[in-house]
Amino acid sequence: MTSRPEHLPERLALISDVQAAEYITSGLLEGREDVPSIALNKVAEPLDQNDERFQLHRVRDLIDDAMDRFQDERPTTADAWLAPRLHETLRLTRREAAEKQLWTYIALGVAPDYVVWRHLPEPRPEGSRGPVARDKFIGPHYKQAFSRLWWAAELFRDGPDYGPVVVACGNQDMLNSALRLDIIDHRPTALALVGLLRDGIVRTGREVNALAPAVNAAAATLLYDVIAPDVERNEEPLREWIEEAASALPSPRIDLPVGPEEDRVPESAVQTLASHFEELFADAPVRGRTQDERH
């Protein structure tokens, strides 16, 4: 199995898809080879030496703990634990998190062993395995191994509260489907979807995959931000939270971390959309659901 990189510099870095392509070999995707970490770091661009957020060991220590904690469980269970802690550890702005080269570097230069461990497909009946999907190293934000976790934490948190993130990331179909939707940037929409999952109204992957497109399609005619307005975003709590990174302790491993002290989403807005989404779900075509089960 792919191993932890032998060479880990002090700082996180950036690496482009073109530079990364040389190191994403079939052997790596099959878990048979390691990334030549010294060679990779020669072409990577280290991040700001004066920014405490970009210390590599804080991210690597967190990933080591995730792999150790979930080594005897299905790797998918690590998502709900790692997502809020990765978000709290890095303390990025959305503009910084949109830098694809950062996530590519974390996947290849910091934790290729985690990417293989987490995303290597289950063995086939005859015992063989398929390769890790290439987009787990260099894919879009909703597929790349670490970017998807950061964005899930960013979009599903309720101000400083990462509780909804744990619920969302505990269902792979919610995590995989919702992150593709532009409407998930509207916080009441995100939390209403999580509420249906938390309350057991939506349970299975099939149900999530029926709900998400129904909610997205309805947004074309019903403006969610009008019927369920969010509070105006204040950037100051995020700036303060980022500035505190230099003195922050490592992200807690048992209790949930605390995000920026932004205003929470209005409960009335969440309830308005949750009721509407429940009605949409009642009529959504769920594969395998009978007419009696709908009503």
Side-chain angles (χ1 to χ4, degrees):
M1 192 68 75
T2 299
S3 301
R4 190 179 194 267
E6 291 185 357
H7 174 64
L8 290 170
E10 293 184 3
R11 314 291 297 173
L12 294 174
L14 305 176
I15 189 167
S16 70
D17 286 358
V18 172
Q19 292 169 321
E22 178 181 350
Y23 304 100
I24 305 176
T25 64
S26 58
L28 173 64
L29 297 177
E30 293 167 5
R32 297 184 289 101
E33 294 178 358
D34 298 335
V35 174
S37 53
I38 293 177
L40 180 137
N41 279 285
K42 286 182 178 178
V43 300
E45 177 187 349
L47 289 170
D48 187 354
Q49 292 285 339
N50 298 317
D51 196 325
E52 294 294 322
R53 294 176 299 161
F54 302 138
Q55 294 182 38
L56 185 148
H57 73 87
R58 292 174 68 91
V59 177
R60 182 65 227 195
D61 288 350
L62 180 65
I63 291 167
D64 283 338
D65 286 351
M67 294 180 71
D68 182 65
R69 182 177 294 265
F70 297 98
Q71 63 179 329
D72 297 324
E73 301 181 39
R74 292 176 62 89
T76 53
T77 59
D79 288 352
W81 185 89
L82 184 55
R85 292 169 176 85
L86 181 68
H87 186 275
E88 193 267 347
T89 296
L90 287 171
R91 303 197 181 203
L92 304 172
T93 66
R94 290 192 177 189
R95 175 175 291 184
E96 290 169 331
E99 177 54 79
K100 192 170 182 287
Q101 296 182 67
L102 171 63
W103 302 114
T104 301
Y105 179 80
I106 293 176
L108 276 174
V110 180
D113 52 327
Y114 176 88
V115 179
V116 171
W117 171 80
R118 167 61 184 83
H119 293 286
L120 196 66
E122 291 289 327
R124 300 186 181 103
E126 72 277 11
S128 64
R129 290 179 185 259
V132 174
R134 186 181 179 86
D135 57 24
K136 299 307 177 186
F137 284 97
I138 57 172
H141 75 278
Y142 54 84
K143 286 189 174 183
Q144 204 269 355
F146 296 107
S147 179
R148 67 196 284 269
L149 297 180
W150 191 94
W151 281 104
E154 172 67 10
L155 296 171
F156 286 113
R157 66 183 173 88
D158 186 5
D161 180 14
Y162 287 113
V165 178
V166 175
V167 177
C169 293
N171 183 296
Q172 289 298 302
D173 292 282
M174 177 65 79
L175 181 57
N176 293 334
S177 298
L179 286 186
R180 299 169 182 261
L181 306 178
D182 290 340
I183 57 168
I184 210 68
D185 192 47
H186 180 237
R187 297 196 304 164
T189 295
L191 293 189
L193 289 171
V194 170
L196 296 187
L197 193 62
R198 181 196 60 227
D199 296 340
I201 296 168
V202 175
R203 300 182 303 276
T204 68
R206 289 181 180 180
E207 291 175 344
V208 169
N209 287 329
L211 174 64
V215 167
N216 196 50
T221 55
L222 189 63
L223 299 177
Y224 296 153
D225 57 346
V226 173
I227 67 169
D230 195 358
V231 295
E232 187 174 346
R233 202 79 179 264
N234 180 1
E235 297 295 334
E236 187 61 29
L238 178 62
R239 284 196 294 268
E240 292 177 354
W241 187 65
I242 289 173
E243 289 171 359
E244 293 166 0
S247 58
L249 296 173
S251 193
R253 293 341 194 215
I254 297 176
D255 297 330
L256 276 179
V258 177
E261 290 292 337
E262 296 172 329
D263 290 335
R264 293 175 182 266
V265 179
E267 184 62 27
S268 59
V270 176
Q271 289 302 322
T272 294
L273 290 182
S275 297
H276 177 61
F277 294 168
E278 187 172 353
E279 294 176 3
L280 291 176
F281 175 64
D283 294 325
V286 179
R287 186 161 57 91
R289 183 169 69 174
T290 66
Q291 189 68 21
D292 290 340
E293 289 174 322
R294 287 191 185 190
H295 302 287

